[in-house]
């Protein structure tokens, strides 16, 4: 094939891809249900709109409380598009689904992995803040406090820094080995028990009365 033929067919191929991508984008824009998102994925694979359809499909499944199905959709998306710009967002959604299913330990581990693997992404401080919510439920306030302090140090210009500050104010200080003295409750005077009366001397015994003498007839 000559050079000009390669240029010609290459330009045709690019135009076809452009038209296909445009059709995929139009189909995705008009889709509103899980079934329609699945149709975009099936008809337009390897297109930007086809990739985005996985995220929207997973969100539709989550709204129906189909958390397991949503995570399978996201796992497929991550495996197929590992370099896509929304991979960290997909993993955040997977962690949230695990949390919704009561798998808090798995969700916590995934949030930790996201914050470590994508430290420069916008999802990093959100992943750390999501850890704080789980740790508070587990009564691990010391760990939650440290994460809030890390967010304020490393991501102080982030949108989530203000939320981290608020959570830090709500958290109790780091516990010490010596517990604080127990507070003595004070009772208002009107509700206090009245004082016991002072003991009094016992009454004097009754003097015997004289028996009246019988009257004479």
């Amino acid at each position: 094939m000559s050079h000009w033929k390669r240029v010609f067919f290459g330009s045709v191929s690019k135009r076809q891809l452009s038209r296909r991508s445009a059709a995929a984008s139009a189909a995705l824009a008009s889709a509103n249900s899980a079934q329609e998102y699945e149709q975009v994925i099936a008809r337009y694979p390897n297109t930007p709109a086809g990739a985005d359809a996985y995220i929207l499909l997973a969100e539709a499944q989550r709204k129906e409380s189909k958390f397991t199905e949503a995570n399978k959709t996201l796992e497929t998306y991550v495996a197929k598009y590992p370099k896509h710009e929304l991979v960290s967002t997909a993993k955040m959604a997977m962690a949230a689904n695990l949390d919704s299913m009561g798998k808090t330990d798995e969700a916590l581990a995934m949030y930790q992995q996201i914050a470590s693997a994508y430290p420069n992404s916008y999802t990093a401080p959100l992943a750390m803040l999501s850890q704080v919510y789980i740790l508070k439920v587990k009564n691990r306030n010391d760990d939650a406090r440290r994460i809030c302090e890390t967010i304020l140090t490393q991501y102080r210009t982030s949108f989530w820094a203000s939320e981290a500050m608020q959570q830090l104010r709500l958290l109790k200080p780091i516990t010490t080995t010596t517990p604080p003295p127990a507070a003595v409750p004070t009772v208002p005077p009107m509700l206090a028990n009245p004082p016991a009366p002072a003991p009094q001397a016992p009454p004097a015994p009754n003097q015997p009365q004289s028996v009246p003498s019988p009257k004479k007839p």
Side-chain angles (χ1 to χ4, degrees):
M1 180 182 296
S2 66
H3 169 73
W4 294 111
K5 285 186 177 180
R6 286 196 297 268
V7 172
F8 173 76
F9 286 113
S11 61
V12 170
S13 178
K14 289 180 180 180
R15 288 197 299 270
Q16 290 175 343
L17 289 175
S18 179
R19 287 196 296 267
R20 190 164 177 270
S21 296
S25 298
L28 182 61
S30 62
N32 292 308
S33 65
Q35 183 178 2
E36 290 173 340
Y37 295 136
E38 290 174 343
Q39 291 174 354
V40 174
I41 293 171
R43 293 176 182 175
Y44 305 100
N46 301 319
T47 63
D52 294 342
Y54 280 97
I55 303 295
L56 297 174
L57 172 59
E59 179 61 21
Q61 292 168 330
R62 174 179 171 79
K63 289 180 180 179
E64 297 178 1
S65 297
K66 297 179 179 180
F67 304 114
T68 301
E69 291 85 345
N71 272 10
K72 289 181 179 179
T73 298
L74 293 169
E75 288 171 359
T76 302
Y77 161 80
V78 172
K80 190 171 184 178
Y81 304 98
K83 301 298 183 181
H84 197 273
E85 60 183 356
L86 296 179
V87 166
S88 62
T89 302
K91 291 185 177 181
M92 284 291 298
M94 291 170 65
N97 290 336
L98 290 171
D99 193 10
S100 298
M101 289 188 287
K103 300 179 179 181
T104 54
D105 291 337
E106 295 180 34
L108 183 62
M110 179 162 282
Y111 284 132
Q112 292 170 344
Q113 188 271 337
I114 294 169
S116 176
Y118 307 96
N120 298 322
S121 69
Y122 70 94
T123 57
L126 177 57
M128 297 177 70
L129 195 59
S130 299
Q131 296 175 51
V132 172
Y133 300 139
I134 295 177
L135 292 171
K136 287 177 63 177
V137 174
K138 292 179 175 292
N139 293 321
R140 293 172 55 183
N141 288 350
D142 292 355
D143 294 334
R145 183 184 179 90
R146 293 187 185 96
I147 291 177
C148 288
E149 292 172 346
T150 302
I151 294 174
L152 294 174
T153 301
Q154 299 182 1
Y155 304 98
R156 59 182 178 273
T157 60
S158 169
F159 171 81
W160 304 108
S162 59
E163 176 65 16
M165 176 62 75
Q166 182 177 355
Q167 290 298 322
L168 189 60
R169 291 171 181 168
L170 297 175
L171 289 166
K172 296 179 180 179
I174 297 177
T175 57
T176 59
T177 55
T178 305
V184 179
T186 57
V187 182
M190 296 180 62
L191 300 181
N193 294 328
Q200 299 179 356
N206 296 330
Q207 297 293 333
Q209 297 179 358
S210 58
V211 179
S213 58
K215 293 181 180 181
K216 295 181 180 181

